[in-house]
Amino acid sequence: MTLEEFAAGEQKTERMDKVGDALEEVLSKALSQRTITVGVYEAAKLLNVDPDNVVLCLLAADEDDDRDVALQIHFTLIQAFCCENDINILRVTNPGRLAELLLLEPNASPAAGEGAQQPPDLHCVLVTPRCAGFINGIFSGTEHV
């Protein structure tokens, strides 16, 4: 590895840390303002009804999800729709950390008995306008965190 390659790698890491910090702040604000939609199907419904009301799309998948063909098809369709409607997209490789940021338990399992809730689907998270100015000032396209 050359010095130039090492320096470029460090700059990329610093940039990704900044994006991660900004994402944490955006999610915190959006969560407090209740401007978040969680779940692939819920996101698809919102995008179908009101795409102009979405400013950020997070697509979260870990290594196990990369082998899920159905999920990858959903991701491809959502990404295409977001690109067509000028919605910022971020790929998140740590759904557990995303669950922490959204104040959810990453490995929550449903309680036994009737009325048990399944853990939320964190593969797709949408943020709507109240945070729009803040988001647009930070993100200018697709990034990976």
Side-chain angles (χ1 to χ4, degrees), residues 61-140:
D62 57 18
E63 291 176 8
D64 293 336
D65 293 326
D66 288 342
R67 290 173 273 183
D68 184 344
V69 175
L71 182 62
Q72 295 309 314
I73 291 170
H74 286 298
F75 277 8
T76 301
L77 293 172
I78 289 171
Q79 283 178 317
F81 192 88
C82 288
C83 287
E84 218 173 88
N85 289 280
D86 295 324
I87 298 169
N88 295 310
I89 305 166
L90 288 174
R91 291 292 303 253
V92 178
T93 57
N94 188 347
R97 178 69 179 127
L98 183 58
E100 289 174 17
L101 292 173
L102 295 175
L103 306 176
L104 303 169
E105 292 182 35
N107 297 319
S109 58
E114 290 184 42
Q117 283 186 318
Q118 286 188 322
D121 170 17
L122 294 176
H123 291 110
C124 185
V125 176
L126 300 179
V127 178
T128 50
R130 287 191 215 170
C131 294
F134 181 74
I135 291 169
N136 290 330
I138 295 173
F139 304 113
S140 60

Side-chain angles (χ1 to χ4, degrees), residues 35-76:
T35 58
I36 290 182
T37 300
V38 177
V40 171
Y41 294 108
E42 291 79 4
K45 285 185 221 175
L46 179 60
L47 289 170
N48 187 45
V49 173
D50 193 10
D52 294 335
N53 201 29
V54 177
V55 293
L56 177 64
C57 175
L58 301 176
L59 298 175
D62 57 18
E63 291 176 8
D64 293 336
D65 293 326
D66 288 342
R67 290 173 273 183
D68 184 344
V69 175
L71 182 62
Q72 295 309 314
I73 291 170
H74 286 298
F75 277 8
T76 301

